[in-house]
Structures are given as structure tokens and as C-alpha cells.
């Protein structure tokens, strides 16, 4: 018997190496942003720069080297999808740091205003929590809710696997980067380490260089009319 898994969600993982000195400089810069905003109250949610006024991290020159390395990974991601990048202008529309302390996490969300998103782990101590992706469309759900956790507990389902799960967890090591469609719901697991986890996230917008003849991708903003 052959099994065909059709219509996959493609998530790529790569590694980026940076000098330890650079890591220290970036971590300190992020700590400065976080401490300015911190109200000292311990929250169960991680601190994220995007909603605390630090959503353009890559306009800070200290992050230039890292953003150049990330750009190369994004191009590879697009190539894997067989997208001809020579037709596109590609922008980081937002980029920010996340700072997750013990027991903190981030709830499920999407980045609905962009095309591609990524997370790069600048500091990722052991047991500091992974990232979970969730599918909106469980392709093999032959009966409504047949694969929910209660069905597992009642042994109707023997074990979760890629055929019957609507979520998948990655626990990646420091210096890894994960790239995925922005519309994919994702969350982070609680940090079980005593050390903070710091990731750098970003949202990427694609625009056609020339939109003539194309209907669906965003036309170049240089041709837009502001009113
Ligand atoms: Fe996110």
C-alpha cells in the first residue's frame, strides 16, 4: 500500500551563525527596549516588541548583519515554493524581538497583515519552550471532532500522528530560524527554564515589481495613489 500526503503546509528551518560578541550586543539592545516598557508586573504572556512600540527592529543598524542573513533564508523559502523572486520586491514590513521569561508563553495568533513570517532564536536555553503550528483545515477529519484530545483520552484514537493532528510542535535550538506562511496560526509553549528565551520575529510583504497582467499579488506601492 502507498500513502500519499497531499497539500502540505511547508515550514522551513535553517541555521544562522553569528559571533558571540554580536549576540551579546543584540541581547543587550533588546533588554534595553524591554526594560523601558516593562511595568514590573509579572505577566503570563511574553513581552513582544511589536505591540510595545519596537516593531521596526531592522531599521536599527545593529541588526543589519542579522537581517541580511535572514533575507537569504527567506529567498530560499520562496524558491522552495517555486516562486520566481526576480518578479518581486520583498520587504520586512515589521520586525521585533520577543522576550519570554519563566512560565511565559504566547497564545495562538496569525500575522494576517503579511505574507511570510519567521522566528529566529537569538537566545534559546534548554527547555525554554517551542513553537506550535495549527491547521485550520484538518484534511483527514472524516467525522467532526473525531481527532480531539478527548477522543485520544477515551482511546477512540490510538495515538496522535501527522495524519490525525491539527497541530505540530517544534523545539528548535539556538540560532535556528523557522519560516512559515503568515496566515498559519501559531503559539509558543511556556518557558520551563530559569533563563529567558529571546527570538527575533518578522513579517514580510511581497509586491510585484511589474503588475501588468497579474491579478492577485499586491501591485507595487510606488504606483499607488495616496489621497
Ligand atoms: Fe507570531
Amino acid at each position: 500500500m502507498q500513502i500519499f500526503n497531499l497539500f502540505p503546509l511547508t515550514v522551513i528551518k535553517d541555521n544562522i551563525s553569528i559571533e558571540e560578541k554580536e549576540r551579546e550586543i543584540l541581547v543587550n539592545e533588546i533588554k534595553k527596549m524591554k526594560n523601558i516598557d516593562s511595568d514590573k508586573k509579572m505577566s503570563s504572556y511574553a513581552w513582544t516588541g511589536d505591540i510595545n512600540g519596537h516593531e521596526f527592529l531592522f531599521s536599527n543598524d545593529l541588526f543589519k548583519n542579522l537581517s541580511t542573513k535572514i533575507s537569504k533564508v527567506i529567498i530560499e523559502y520562496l524558491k522552495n515554493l517555486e516562486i520566481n523572486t526576480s518578479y518581486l520586491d520583498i520587504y520586512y514590513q515589521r520586525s521585533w524581538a520577543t522576550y519570554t521569561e519563566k512560565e511565559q508563553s504566547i497564545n495562538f495568533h496569525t500575522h494576517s497583515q503579511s505574507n511570510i513570517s519567521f522566528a529566529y532564536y537569538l537566545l534559546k536555553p534548554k527547555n525554554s519552550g517551542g513553537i506550535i503550528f495549527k491547521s485550520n483545515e484538518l484534511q483527514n477529519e472524516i467525522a467532526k471532532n473525531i481527532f480531539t484530545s478527548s477522543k485520544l483520552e477515551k482511546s477512540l484514537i490510538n495515538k496522535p500522528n501527522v495524519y490525525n493532528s491539527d497541530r505540530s510542535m517544534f523545539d528548535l535550538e539556538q540560532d535556528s530560524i523557522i519560516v512559515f506562511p503568515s496566515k498559519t496560526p501559531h503559539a509558543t509553549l511556556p518557558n520551563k527554564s530559569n533563563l529567558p528565551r529571546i527570538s527575533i520575529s518578522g513579517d514580510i510583504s511581497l509586491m510585484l515589481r511589474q503588475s501588468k497582467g497579474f491579478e492577485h499579488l499586491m501591485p507595487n506601492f510606488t504606483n499607488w495613489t495616496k489621497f
Side-chain angles (χ1 to χ4, degrees), residues 34-48 52 99-105:
K34 188 205 169 265
N35 289 336
I36 291 166
D37 298 329
S38 186
D39 56 7
K40 309 288 179 218
K41 257 199 332 253
M42 196 60 191
S43 164
S44 58
Y45 300 114
W47 179 90
T48 66
N52 283 291
Y99 193 102
T100 307
E101 293 178 271
K102 194 175 172 103
E103 299 302 339
Q104 291 181 330
S105 61

Side-chain angles (χ1 to χ4, degrees), residues 60-101:
N60 179 333
D61 279 346
L62 291 176
F63 291 84
K64 181 78 190 140
N65 179 49
L66 180 62
S67 71
T68 302
K69 289 177 175 174
I70 292 174
S71 306
K72 290 185 182 137
V73 180
I74 303 299
I75 297 289
E76 284 307 307
Y77 170 82
L78 287 163
K79 284 186 176 164
N80 277 311
L81 300 183
E82 298 294 348
I83 294 171
N84 186 345
T85 53
S86 71
Y87 281 44
L88 301 175
D89 279 343
I90 306 172
Y91 289 85
Y92 291 112
Q93 54 152 266
R94 300 195 299 178
S95 47
W96 65 96
T98 76
Y99 193 102
T100 307
E101 293 178 271

Side-chain angles (χ1 to χ4, degrees), residues 2-58:
Q2 276 182 290
I3 296 176
F4 299 99
N5 283 308
L6 311 178
F7 317 124
L9 165 69
T10 304
V11 170
I12 65 162
K13 180 230 164 191
D14 205 346
N15 290 298
I16 287 176
S17 60
I18 61 169
E19 302 280 333
E20 288 313 307
K21 186 72 202 154
E22 182 181 358
R23 190 187 316 281
E24 196 185 318
I25 290 167
L26 301 187
V27 165
N28 285 337
E29 190 71 8
I30 291 163
K31 280 182 175 169
K32 264 195 276 171
M33 294 172 201
K34 188 205 169 265
N35 289 336
I36 291 166
D37 298 329
S38 186
D39 56 7
K40 309 288 179 218
K41 257 199 332 253
M42 196 60 191
S43 164
S44 58
Y45 300 114
W47 179 90
T48 66
D50 56 334
I51 56 164
N52 283 291
H54 301 281
E55 73 275 37
F56 301 117
L57 201 64
F58 288 171

Side-chain angles (χ1 to χ4, degrees), residues 98-141:
T98 76
Y99 193 102
T100 307
E101 293 178 271
K102 194 175 172 103
E103 299 302 339
Q104 291 181 330
S105 61
I106 301 172
N107 287 341
F108 274 109
H109 63 283
T110 64
H111 301 194
S112 54
Q113 87 299 345
S114 82
N115 301 119
I116 301 167
S117 297
F118 68 86
Y120 163 73
Y121 295 98
L122 181 65
L123 269 192
K124 182 71 169 65
K126 215 169 183 295
N127 301 320
S128 62
I131 183 166
I132 315 174
F133 293 96
K134 191 165 78 168
S135 169
N136 286 326
E137 185 89 26
L138 190 46
Q139 306 276 22
N140 295 331
E141 192 182 42

Side-chain angles (χ1 to χ4, degrees), residues 207-226:
M207 258 172 235
L208 286 162
R209 288 191 176 149
Q210 297 290 336
S211 52
K212 190 177 177 187
F214 287 97
E215 185 180 2
H216 292 295
L217 202 57
M218 192 180 286
N220 206 288
F221 78 94
T222 52
N223 297 317
W224 296 6
T225 308
K226 190 176 178 183

Side-chain angles (χ1 to χ4, degrees), residues 23 120-131 169-176 191 193 195-199:
R23 190 187 316 281
Y120 163 73
Y121 295 98
L122 181 65
L123 269 192
K124 182 71 169 65
K126 215 169 183 295
N127 301 320
S128 62
I131 183 166
M169 201 275 284
F170 291 78
D171 194 4
L172 302 174
E173 66 281 11
Q174 185 162 294
D175 281 334
S176 52
N191 180 353
S193 156
L195 300 167
R197 178 183 75 225
I198 298 181
S199 73

